[in-house]
Amino acid sequence: MSNVAGFCSDQFEAVRAAFTEQVESGAELGASVCVTVDGETVVDLWGGYADPEKTKPWEADTLVNTFSITKTMVALSALLLVEAGELDVHQKVAHYWPEFAANGKADIEVRHLLSHTSGVSGWEAPIELRDIYDTDAASDRLAAQEPWWVPGTASGYHALNYGHLTGTVIKRITGRSLGRFFAEELARPLDADFHIGTPAADLGRIATLVPPEFLEFDQSQLPQDSVLYKTLFQPLLDFAECGTPEWQQAELGGMGGHGNARSIARVQSVISNGGELGGRKFLSDKTIDLIFDQQCDGFDLAILQPVRFGIGYGLPQPQIGPQVPDGKVCWWNGLGGAHVVNDLDHRVTFAYAMNRMAPGLIGSDRADAYMKATFDVVRGRA
């Protein structure tokens, strides 16, 4: 009997086949895949197990840490304020957050935060992972720092602090924390089970992460003044810590969001469906078009990979990276392989979330298999 449940329209049977193969072969431990077209769900599948001991089935409402998929939720939150006329992505960050102007950051614009080009991709040492749970105090530290490169000239992936930076701007404008703003303006109106700061009552639904096996290396051999080292090792992400209630409840907009494929697709369908969903107009075409205003295209200083960022999202890079289609498409992924793709040409959103993490910083073979099956259908190649 298949360990895959949910719904799949006949047109997308290839997605079910690809997902079922990965779950039943054991390549997946537990996972979910969702596809929407014109804001309506055409694929909503889940299967496998929520724990490595295989004692808890992955259920329809299982949640998992989606890591950097959370950044797309932060970006969309910021775009809501742009739509409302309360935020200008070309305005100086210090206009909204005056303390941020310290130490040579007066000219950094909001778009630089949203596109990883601000020069402030992490914290100066010493700092421990738990120090960033207090988002106000951790953001104050960022405001006091100097940028690590000339803002706007290159990207340096804001791996852990993306939500601290943009979230503080949102809080200065609205008086609400990032997690509260996202919940009140997006998650609840859309009935989407995604959380930036998971309520205590929902912690029992969170799947256990199975980290990948990374190659052992000597950190001391890395230049400790490099953007890579300071971004990814100050502090170092600890996967065991990611399973604690403290992590799960913290409002970590860079990498701490918890949801599943259904909730990711539901929220992000606001983009692929032209800004309108559930009978409500969230964004105009003008605001959505900001996403495609390219901010950088080149070698990222923090993750040492070629990346292409618009405002708040990655943009397609033909022949590079995961199976993201070309066109008017915006996307991003989460550490371990979670993915979201918004294809505006075809009004499609694809989402995937899992607990068995793949190695590498961007993408996975499993994510590629599901994306290929999806977009082969969407683009008439099936």
Side-chain angles (χ1 to χ4, degrees):
M1 183 175 179
S2 176
N3 192 21
V4 170
F7 162 77
C8 180
S9 70
D10 292 344
Q11 183 184 9
F12 287 88
E13 189 58 36
V15 181
R16 183 198 291 273
F19 184 65
T20 300
E21 178 183 355
Q22 297 293 332
V23 171
E24 295 188 347
S25 71
E28 292 284 13
L29 176 58
S32 56
V33 172
C34 187
V35 179
T36 65
V37 179
D38 292 324
E40 299 296 326
T41 302
V42 295
V43 177
D44 183 10
L45 299 172
W46 60 90
Y49 297 91
D51 64 326
E53 297 78 21
K54 299 184 179 180
T55 63
K56 295 172 58 179
W58 186 292
E59 305 283 3
D61 66 346
T62 295
L63 304 174
V64 70
N65 194 159
T66 64
F67 290 102
S68 290
I69 295 293
T70 320
K71 292 177 172 71
T72 67
M73 305 301 179
V74 176
L76 184 52
S77 296
L79 290 175
L80 291 185
L81 293 178
V82 172
E83 182 69 22
E86 298 180 57
L87 176 64
D88 180 351
V89 298
H90 298 283
Q91 180 60 269
K92 305 292 193 291
V93 175
H95 176 79
Y96 309 99
W97 180 7
E99 298 90 336
F100 191 79
N103 279 319
K105 302 193 302 303
D107 290 332
I108 294 175
E109 298 175 13
V110 174
R111 64 188 176 95
H112 296 137
L113 303 185
L114 289 166
S115 63
H116 305 270
T117 61
S118 74
V120 187
S121 59
W123 287 271
E124 296 286 358
I127 188 164
E128 302 295 330
L129 190 60
R130 287 199 166 213
D131 293 338
I132 73 174
Y133 298 178
D134 182 341
T135 54
D136 287 341
S139 297
D140 288 345
R141 292 182 61 159
L142 295 170
Q145 293 178 195
E146 296 180 355
W148 293 340
W149 68 93
V150 178
T153 60
S155 70
Y157 190 54
H158 294 16
L160 300 183
N161 70 345
Y162 190 88
H164 292 75
L165 293 167
T166 301
T168 299
V169 173
I170 289 172
K171 187 173 184 179
R172 292 299 179 96
I173 292 170
T174 69
R176 289 179 279 176
S177 70
L178 173 61
R180 179 184 163 196
F181 182 85
F182 171 78
E184 292 177 350
E185 301 298 332
L186 284 167
R188 291 177 196 165
L190 293 170
D191 193 25
D193 193 12
F194 194 100
H195 311 272
I196 304 177
T198 307
D202 295 312
L203 298 185
R205 297 193 285 124
I206 297 177
T208 303
L209 293 170
V210 179
E213 293 185 7
F214 289 108
L215 295 175
E216 294 292 330
F217 65 94
D218 185 355
Q219 294 181 28
S220 66
Q221 298 303 307
L222 294 172
Q224 298 194 8
D225 62 346
S226 67
V227 173
L228 179 153
Y229 186 89
K230 293 193 291 185
T231 300
L232 301 183
F233 293 87
Q234 295 178 187
L236 179 64
L237 188 63
D238 180 337
F239 292 116
E241 181 68 19
C242 295
T244 65
E246 291 81 8
W247 169 279
Q248 293 163 351
Q249 293 180 88
E251 294 186 14
L252 301 174
M255 63 311 179
H258 289 74
N260 48 42
R262 183 189 311 110
S263 61
I264 295 167
R266 177 64 174 168
V267 176
Q268 291 298 316
S269 291
V270 168
I271 302 295
S272 64
N273 203 45
E276 186 170 353
L277 201 61
R280 175 177 166 184
K281 187 71 172 177
F282 288 87
L283 300 176
S284 64
D285 291 345
K286 180 180 179 182
T287 300
I288 291 174
D289 283 346
L290 288 172
I291 294 170
F292 301 95
D293 183 0
Q294 180 176 299
Q295 301 296 301
C296 62
D297 183 6
F299 200 66
D300 187 272
L301 301 176
I303 60 175
L304 305 186
Q305 295 189 34
V307 292
R308 180 173 171 242
F309 284 117
I311 292 179
Y313 292 78
L315 302 179
Q317 296 165 281
Q319 312 305 317
I320 297 176
Q323 293 279 330
V324 175
D326 203 1
K328 193 171 186 181
V329 169
C330 62
W331 70 286
W332 200 237
N333 80 148
L335 185 63
H339 248 81
V340 62
V341 179
N342 291 313
D343 179 347
L344 283 74
D345 291 330
H346 298 87
R347 297 171 67 86
V348 168
T349 292
F350 164 89
Y352 161 63
M354 75 299 129
N355 60 348
R356 174 169 285 153
M357 302 172 66
L361 294 175
I362 297 180
S364 74
D365 291 343
R366 284 169 277 151
D368 277 354
Y370 312 145
M371 280 191 286
K372 183 178 187 304
T374 298
F375 290 105
D376 277 354
V377 172
V378 169
R379 301 195 170 200
R381 295 190 294 264

